[in-house]
Amino acid sequence: MENVYLAVVLAPLFGAIVAGLFGRQIGRVGAHTVTILGVAISFVLSVWVFKHHVFDGADVHNATVYTWMISDGIRFEIGFLVDNLTALMMLVVTFVSLMVHIYTIGYMHDDPGYQRFFAYISLFTFSMLMLVMANNFLQLFFGWEAVGLVSYLLIGFWYKRPTAIYANMKAFVVNRVGDFGFILGIGALLFYAGSLDYYEVFAEAEGMSAATITILPGTDWSLLTVACILLFIGAMGKSAQVPLHVWLPDSMEGPTPISALIHAATMVTAGIFMVARMSPLFEFSTAALSFVLVIGALTAFFMGLIGIVQNDIKRVVAYSTLSQLGYMTVALGASAYAAGIFHLMTHAFFKALLFLAAGSVIIALHHEQDMRRMGGLRKYMPITYVTALVGSLALIGFPFFSGFFSKDGIIEAVSLSTTPGAGFAYVLVLLGVFVTALYTFRMFFMVFHGEERFRNVAHHGHEDEHGDGGHGHGHVHEPRESPWVVTVPLILLAIPSVVAGYVVGPVLFGDFFSDSIFVLQDNDVLARLGEGYTGIMGFVVHGIMMPPFWLAMAGLATAWYVYMVNPRIADTIKSRFQWLYTVLDRKYGFDEFNAFVFAGGSLGLGRWLWRFGDMLFIDGLLVNGSARTVGLISRYARYVQTGYLYHYAFAMIIGLLVLLTVFVL
């Protein structure tokens, strides 16, 4: 089995190396062939691994591949932990990645960086697989940093565009802030447990919950609480939780396939997966769970509100991703880890579908992304239309679609939670259902229904996707359906966007994660929720009678009325509540705050250190000052050296008298 696990992670790496180093020699066809083949092998083997562990009931695999080094008794190893949680993540990551690889053939067809792009996305897949298959914190951190590095390269793929360079640097810096907390958390666990192995650290969890550390004089903190919060700060960066969320919307500067790969099933879900994997630690810290719960609720609601005022189709989906990651985080804070991972899985399918559908629309409109210049595309792009409708219905949690089962499971679990802050979180995630439906179908109606507004912008000049400058269109290009390499992945992603939710029984209320996730009996809200589970139809009937369904329908109806029946009402609302629109449009001022306080503060501190530290102290006092002192001493010391013998004899006599005087006294 170890050879199979090695093949899963090394096949994409091999494709990335070949496409990256020999791209010119093998050409475009060779580059996409070798990378798609590598990811396809990884996907097929992941399906087999999933069957082996889930359906055949194989034992958990936890083994070391090789030992990198041993230092002071601490083993630094590379190894694999494969259980049901890992098998599920492997399946989701490789499937979505394979769809993105195929889709990229059509989307990036004319891009000069074609081979480089395939090398990057294949390397990204390898990095994510190393992260989810790790059995120790060293390998986890390697995968964690590797996906961050490759995302930096992908977001700034069009490096000639200043906005892309700004976006990838922003993503890199914000994630470094989170990763600083993450590595401190790993260090705290290593200090206490003396090991980097998951199981050895988990075995010390209860003891760590009783241990305390002193951070500020006179205050004792729970070691486990501090370590868990530090780990979660890393997750806040990777999974874009408030206030470390600011990088994700700007990452839309990268090509659309990357939006799907980073924001659907891979990098942004790494934080969710990590907290679920660390459930044996978080369960012994109520304070850490409460912190996770509140942060997730704030992200779920307030980031969704921003999506309502966005006009860039990719940014609407990006803010939707932020909001849905908040739902997953809320589930983790409520100890409903299985519900969070379940929503991670369903969300991966329908959000990748929505991103790729948005890319299909962008292709049809010659890289136009402003929804105000779209409309009426339903008759021109039937496949994209139907698949986007499937993704939208799954996102809002419409009955019988995958998002209905996973999102309702989270909301119901939070309603039963006794973790401090659960009541506050329940209100926000409930209101978030209305907001989700509103921004989702606002986007859907503006793009596919109504007036064909793209006909009114025939002379619109814009910057193309490759950053080569603006150009104008002298005539209207009729939109048409995307090629098969784009539509086939849409269809294949639409299928699990519908059916993936039907495994709700074993995943949420069964023992699917019994070997992977640990929950204390007092915190097990899913067990209490499962007492009333009677099957799929019972779940649907119960869900239809609950507030989330009616709030979703209210949001859909509001979007239909405002943007289809009476479009002028949107302008009226905007003019009457201009202050609210401004707050949302400026994203609550996070960018300005970061630019003024952190970026501006760092620059100001740097200037101060340069002026007073470097110029005044180092150069002025130490370097130039010491040189001036030596020069001054030398200037007067030279008068002592006269060259006359009687001067030196006189000095010797004076010295001798001084020494005799000191000796006598």
Side-chain angles (χ1 to χ4, degrees):
M1 282 302 296
E2 187 172 291
N3 291 332
V4 174
Y5 303 139
L6 282 171
V8 169
V9 297
L10 294 181
L13 177 63
F14 175 78
I17 292 173
V18 173
L21 298 182
F22 308 103
R24 290 187 178 181
Q25 289 80 358
I26 63 177
R28 290 173 172 248
V29 174
H32 73 234
T33 299
V34 70
T35 52
I36 290 176
L37 181 62
V39 176
I41 291 172
S42 187
F43 170 66
V44 171
L45 292 177
S46 295
V47 172
W48 188 83
V49 169
F50 187 83
K51 172 185 175 297
H52 181 65
H53 283 273
V54 176
F55 294 105
D56 297 343
D59 293 334
V60 174
H61 175 88
N62 181 26
T64 299
V65 177
Y66 71 90
T67 300
W68 178 36
M69 68 175 181
I70 302 175
S71 176
D72 196 24
I74 300 171
R75 303 180 68 87
F76 296 86
E77 300 173 331
I78 300 299
F80 296 137
L81 170 61
V82 183
D83 50 19
N84 285 6
L85 174 59
T86 305
L88 178 64
M89 290 296 297
M90 291 167 62
L91 188 64
V92 171
V93 169
T94 54
F95 176 70
V96 173
S97 180
L98 180 60
M99 296 301 101
V100 170
H101 275 70
I102 296 171
Y103 177 95
T104 299
I105 297 175
Y107 193 89
M108 302 291 288
H109 183 267
D110 298 321
D111 196 282
Y114 190 84
Q115 294 97 312
R116 178 166 57 94
F117 189 81
F118 272 98
Y120 285 170
I121 58 176
S122 192
L123 184 62
F124 194 102
T125 307
F126 158 75
S127 303
M128 190 66 192
L129 287 170
M130 286 292 285
L131 188 156
V132 300
M133 295 175 68
N135 73 343
N136 63 82
F137 286 97
L138 172 68
Q139 186 174 330
L140 173 70
F141 189 72
F142 165 79
W144 194 270
E145 293 302 307
V147 293
L149 170 63
V150 183
S151 70
Y152 167 81
L153 297 173
L154 287 167
I155 295 169
F157 181 77
W158 287 314
Y159 53 84
K160 293 182 180 179
R161 295 168 59 171
T163 52
I165 297 302
Y166 173 80
N168 75 344
M169 183 58 67
K170 187 175 183 179
F172 193 81
V173 171
V174 172
N175 273 277
R176 296 293 72 71
V177 174
D179 293 352
F180 181 67
F182 187 60
I183 197 169
L184 286 177
I186 294 175
L189 296 174
L190 174 62
F191 175 77
Y192 185 90
S195 174
L196 291 169
D197 183 85
Y198 286 164
Y199 283 178
E200 292 181 13
V201 174
F202 294 163
E204 302 289 338
E206 194 166 1
M208 278 190 280
S209 65
T212 60
I213 58 174
T214 301
I215 299 178
L216 298 174
T219 58
D220 290 333
W221 295 64
S222 166
L223 171 65
L224 190 61
T225 296
V226 171
C228 287
I229 290 177
L230 287 171
L231 291 176
F232 181 67
I233 289 173
M236 288 168 63
K238 276 290 182 289
S239 295
Q241 298 296 290
V242 173
L244 300 182
H245 67 283
V246 293
W247 66 271
L248 191 140
D250 287 344
S251 67
M252 295 298 103
E253 292 295 332
T256 297
I258 285 316
S259 301
L261 192 60
I262 292 179
H263 304 134
T266 52
M267 178 174 167
V268 295
T269 60
I272 307 300
F273 165 79
M274 184 273 292
V275 175
R277 176 63 79 196
M278 300 299 133
S279 59
L281 302 177
F282 279 83
E283 279 300 286
F284 288 101
S285 175
T286 303
L289 289 175
S290 183
F291 182 74
V292 171
L293 185 66
V294 172
I295 292 294
L298 292 172
T299 305
F301 179 68
F302 289 103
M303 294 302 106
L305 286 177
I306 299 179
I308 299 174
V309 302
Q310 296 298 307
N311 294 310
D312 184 311
I313 185 172
K314 287 171 64 176
R315 285 183 178 268
V316 174
V317 186
Y319 278 103
S320 170
T321 301
L322 281 171
S323 180
Q324 297 307 304
L325 287 167
Y327 276 89
M328 300 175 208
T329 304
V330 165
L332 301 175
S335 293
Y337 304 96
I341 295 297
F342 186 38
H343 195 53
L344 182 158
M345 176 188 72
T346 61
H347 175 264
F349 298 130
F350 61 71
K351 188 53 61 68
L353 172 60
L354 286 173
F355 268 118
L356 298 187
S360 179
V361 169
I362 292 169
I363 293 171
L365 295 180
H366 309 281
H367 298 289
E368 179 60 74
Q369 296 182 197
D370 193 329
M371 297 188 301
R372 294 169 296 186
R373 301 189 180 107
M374 299 180 184
L377 295 177
R378 174 184 177 183
K379 66 180 180 181
Y380 300 103
M381 309 180 70
I383 297 176
T384 302
Y385 172 79
V386 172
T387 53
L389 178 60
V390 169
S392 299
L393 291 173
L395 174 57
I396 71 169
F398 194 80
F400 296 105
F401 288 79
S402 61
F404 171 79
F405 299 99
S406 58
K407 186 183 288 187
D408 273 31
I410 291 174
I411 296 172
E412 290 289 322
V414 174
S415 69
L416 297 177
S417 175
T418 57
T419 301
F424 170 77
Y426 178 70
V427 172
L428 290 188
V429 295
L430 205 57
L431 294 175
V433 174
F434 173 84
V435 173
T436 300
L438 178 58
Y439 68 65
T440 301
F441 275 89
R442 169 183 177 264
M443 174 183 67
F444 184 79
F445 291 139
M446 288 181 70
V447 172
F448 293 104
H449 290 272
E451 178 189 356
E452 296 178 359
R453 294 180 296 276
F454 57 85
R455 296 187 181 278
N456 302 328
V457 290
H459 297 281
H460 169 64
H462 59 82
E463 183 180 30
D464 69 10
E465 283 262 296
H466 311 305
D468 297 327
H471 59 274
H473 299 291
H475 60 280
V476 175
H477 295 274
E478 286 287 320
R480 59 182 180 181
E481 187 60 88
S482 299
W484 70 268
V485 288
V486 172
T487 55
V488 167
L490 293 180
I491 295 169
L492 294 178
L493 284 166
I495 295 170
S497 296
V498 177
V499 304
Y502 292 97
V503 297
V504 60
V507 172
L508 287 195
F509 312 121
D511 59 354
F512 187 86
F513 291 121
S514 59
D515 292 332
S516 312
I517 292 172
F518 172 78
V519 184
L520 292 174
Q521 186 174 357
D522 292 342
N523 295 344
D524 200 349
V525 291
L526 290 178
R528 297 199 291 273
L529 189 62
E531 293 172 358
Y533 179 71
T534 58
I536 296 294
M537 287 307 301
F539 191 103
V540 172
V541 171
H542 175 77
I544 291 175
M545 295 186 295
M546 298 302 289
F549 171 74
W550 295 105
L551 285 168
M553 293 305 96
L556 194 159
T558 302
W560 172 77
Y561 181 77
V562 172
Y563 296 99
M564 293 296 297
V565 177
N566 189 6
R568 287 178 295 180
I569 196 173
D571 295 328
T572 303
I573 294 173
K574 179 180 175 181
S575 61
R576 289 187 178 181
F577 297 95
Q578 184 64 44
W579 64 271
L580 180 59
Y581 176 84
T582 302
V583 169
L584 295 178
D585 188 51
R586 296 180 66 172
K587 308 158 196 171
Y588 307 112
F590 275 105
D591 285 340
E592 290 85 350
F593 178 80
N594 289 331
F596 179 75
V597 176
F598 292 107
S602 298
L603 288 172
L605 178 62
R607 293 191 190 99
W608 185 88
L609 290 174
W610 170 76
R611 183 172 300 166
F612 294 99
D614 190 34
M615 297 296 293
L616 182 63
F617 182 73
I618 297 177
D619 282 349
L621 185 60
L622 296 183
V623 179
N624 296 332
S626 59
R628 291 192 191 100
T629 302
V630 171
L632 185 64
I633 294 172
S634 300
R635 183 183 305 169
Y636 293 101
R638 66 180 180 175
Y639 294 115
V640 178
Q641 305 296 328
T642 63
Y644 293 109
L645 185 61
Y646 64 89
H647 286 170
Y648 300 150
F650 180 73
M652 292 173 64
I653 293 170
I654 295 298
L656 181 60
L657 289 174
V658 170
L659 288 175
L660 288 173
T661 302
V662 171
F663 177 75
V664 171
L665 290 177

